[in-house]
Each structure stands twice: as structure tokens, then as C-alpha cells.
Amino acid sequence: MECYHGSAKRQRVSKVEPSALTRLANIDVLGHLAAFLEAGELCQVRATCKALGSSDESAFDGLSMAEEAARRVFESASDDEKAMLPRHNGEGWIELYHHLLMLRARLTFDQLVGRNIEYQEGDEAAVRATGTSSAICGNHIMRAGKHWATFVANRLYLSVGVIRPLPGWDQRALEEFTPNHLRFLEDLRRERTSRWEGDVHFCQFYLDGQCWYSNWEGFVDQRSFVDQRSDWEGINDFDRRINTLGMLLDLDSGTLSVYQNGKRVGILKDGLAGVYCWITCFDVPHGSLSIERGYHMTE
């Protein structure tokens, strides 16, 4: 008898499930739900539910319901946000939605590259190092528009700047890492994608006022470094005693600028194009630095 009732119960459930899924798999409902989901969670929805993950040529121009939900959320973003996130060729809407969420989030160093660097008190926006290592805002990829960041550091001989995205480099278990050293040149070149534009792949500004950049190509100096110095106007106005500085990556004009006391000191480098992440590099032991999105202007 118990088996009979169990069988009947299973039959009733099997009859209810398809209609329940049909009601849940409604693009308007999913569109509202997507606004509360991370991009990774939306990917899980697509992977675990056939009704939401399969493409429907007639309904959504070949997009899955999950992709269509991500597209709708992205299209509801502000004009300024969408201008900073032009869609790349072949880029999925869920991926683009992820970058929208990152644009709205606080900046964090998602990648620690080198064994001598760690977070300060668990804060991923603040790092300290005891040797040659780097920290990259790997999830916060900048592709267009103007991007501001504020850095607070306690050492002259560390640098801040921008670098091409280097996915997976925090998993390489490198003993040390600075992206201007010859030993990493070939591996860095292999990371190139169609989203790299121009020939400035890395630009770093030291807190003593020097700026260096690289195209990771043929130039190697006597120090076994693959970067060149930028003779930027304004270096004589830079105050080394101030440990808080702002940086502006303006991908509309292709420039990287430095700010102090709420005012621009100068343009460090021009010719920047394509995709970049914020980076800080430590060349000496016992340094620390924090990053924050935005910068307070006084002029």
C-alpha cells in the first residue's frame, strides 16, 4: 500500500513539474530575478535548467532565456555605464552583465601575483608586501570612458598604474612577479588577444615621480627590464611627500594622468587603447597600499 501511494505521489509530481517550469521560465520573471543575481549565478541557472539555458531562435534572436535576461538588465543601465562598456565582438550578454556589476562594485585586488604579498586584515582593497610581487584588479577590466582611482601608499619605491588583463596569473604560484622584467616577456606576449589595442601594454608610476611603460616587444635595457621611461610634463610639480594620489585612465583620449591635492599634476602617458586593469607593483620589502574607486577633485 505504501508503495502504491508513493508511486501515485511520484506520478502527480511528474505531471505538475512541466507546468511549474513553464510558469517559472518566463522571461519577464527571469528578467526581474536577474537583477538580484550575480553573473556567475545566472550562468548556473543557464547550465542547470534546460528551459532557461537553451536558445530559442524565434523568441529571443537565438539567445537563451538567461542571456536575454542579462541583455535586458544591461540595457536598463545608465547611458554613462553603457558608454563605458561597449560590447566586444562575440561577447555574451552574461559576460557583459558581469562587467557592469564590477563597474558598480568597489575596486579590489582580485589577483595577488608572487608569494610575498597578502591582504591587510582580509581587506581585498588593501595589500602589503615583503618582497617583489604585484596586485591586480583583475575582475575590474576597463575598456572605454574615464576611470578614476585613489591610491594610498607608504613607500616611494612601489608603483601604481595599468596593465592588460592577465587571467589566471594569480594561480601560477610564482615566487615573484613584476611585469616589466625580461623573464616574463614571452609569457606576457602569449596573453595577447584581439581586445588589446595600441602598443602600451603596461604603464607604471613610481611614487618618486618616475613613469615607465612597455609594449612587451623588443626593447630590453641593461637592467634586463623591458620598459621605457616616459618624460612627462609635470614631474617637477609632483610632491613625493604626499602618499595619497589619484589616477585617471581616460580611454576616450587614450591618456593616463596623475593627481595630487585634488588637482592634475600631469599626463603620464598617451597612446593607451583597448582593455586595462589597475595594478600595483612592489620592488622593495615592507610596503603597503590601498585602492578606492573615484577621486575627489577640488578644481
Side-chain angles (χ1 to χ4, degrees):
M1 182 67 69
E2 291 178 359
C3 291
Y4 173 80
H5 284 299
S7 175
K9 185 176 181 179
R10 286 194 297 272
Q11 289 177 2
R12 287 197 298 272
V13 169
S14 66
K15 291 178 181 178
V16 171
E17 281 182 340
S19 60
L21 279 174
T22 300
R23 289 194 299 270
L24 287 173
N26 179 285
I27 187 58
D28 294 324
V29 174
L30 185 59
H32 288 297
L33 290 175
F36 299 95
L37 297 176
E38 298 289 335
E41 294 170 332
L42 202 53
C43 283
Q44 292 177 0
V45 169
R46 181 180 60 183
T48 56
C49 181
K50 182 178 180 181
L52 302 180
S54 60
S55 300
D56 188 333
E57 291 286 347
S58 60
F60 308 119
D61 294 326
L63 298 176
S64 70
M65 195 172 291
E67 285 276 348
E68 172 63 11
R71 186 194 68 80
R72 293 190 181 194
V73 174
F74 180 81
E75 292 297 343
S76 69
S78 70
D79 290 340
D80 288 342
E81 289 174 326
K82 287 187 284 189
M84 297 170 76
L85 292 169
R87 190 182 178 200
H88 292 304
N89 290 334
E91 184 174 25
W93 288 104
I94 293 179
E95 179 185 354
L96 194 58
Y97 173 51
H98 164 74
H99 291 296
L100 174 64
L101 294 179
M102 292 298 98
L103 184 64
R104 294 171 173 175
R106 69 191 290 254
L107 287 173
T108 54
F109 292 113
D110 312 292
Q111 295 177 283
L112 304 183
V113 190
R115 66 185 301 268
N116 299 308
I117 190 168
E118 63 182 6
Y119 296 121
Q120 297 186 60
E121 286 73 50
D123 183 1
E124 295 185 1
V127 292
R128 56 175 167 244
T130 57
T132 304
S133 301
S134 300
I136 306 172
C137 298
N139 280 336
H140 304 266
I141 299 175
M142 302 170 284
R143 62 176 78 180
K146 297 180 180 180
H147 301 265
W148 294 88
T150 299
F151 298 90
V152 180
N154 74 342
R155 284 276 182 164
L156 282 179
Y157 296 102
L158 59 81
S159 67
V160 295
V162 294
I163 191 172
R164 300 299 191 186
L166 299 177
W169 276 63
D170 53 322
Q171 304 299 317
R172 293 191 174 207
L174 296 174
E175 186 75 14
E176 58 183 32
F177 175 68
T178 54
N180 60 341
H181 201 280
L182 178 62
R183 78 181 75 171
F184 304 112
L185 182 58
E186 291 303 321
D187 286 340
L188 290 168
R189 286 172 175 170
R190 282 192 284 268
E191 294 293 336
R192 187 178 189 115
T193 73
S194 61
R195 298 179 184 180
W196 292 20
E197 301 175 31
D199 58 2
V200 181
H201 303 325
F202 171 58
C203 185
Q204 62 178 345
F205 177 73
Y206 284 91
L207 274 68
D208 65 354
Q210 295 188 58
C211 179
W212 298 77
Y213 67 96
S214 178
N215 61 5
W216 291 333
E217 292 299 332
F219 180 86
V220 181
D221 70 5
Q222 66 272 17
R223 305 167 300 150
S224 295
F225 288 150
V226 292
D227 54 1
Q228 303 177 63
R229 184 170 177 170
S230 173
D231 296 321
W232 62 285
E233 293 185 10
I235 186 171
N236 293 329
D237 298 321
F238 182 78
D239 190 342
R240 300 182 182 185
R241 298 167 298 177
I242 299 175
N243 65 352
T244 299
L245 61 85
M247 297 199 85
L248 168 62
L249 175 63
D250 186 345
L251 289 170
D252 295 333
S253 63
T255 57
L256 181 66
S257 303
V258 64
Y259 289 72
Q260 284 185 318
N261 295 325
K263 300 179 181 179
R264 190 175 78 177
V265 183
I267 295 175
L268 300 172
K269 187 73 181 78
D270 58 11
L272 287 88
V275 291
Y276 295 97
C277 302
W278 295 113
I279 184 174
T280 181
C281 301
F282 295 84
D283 294 330
V284 295
H286 308 299
S288 64
L289 177 138
S290 64
I291 188 173
E292 182 180 356
R293 189 184 297 281
Y295 183 70
H296 179 65
M297 294 285 294
T298 59
E299 60 178 9

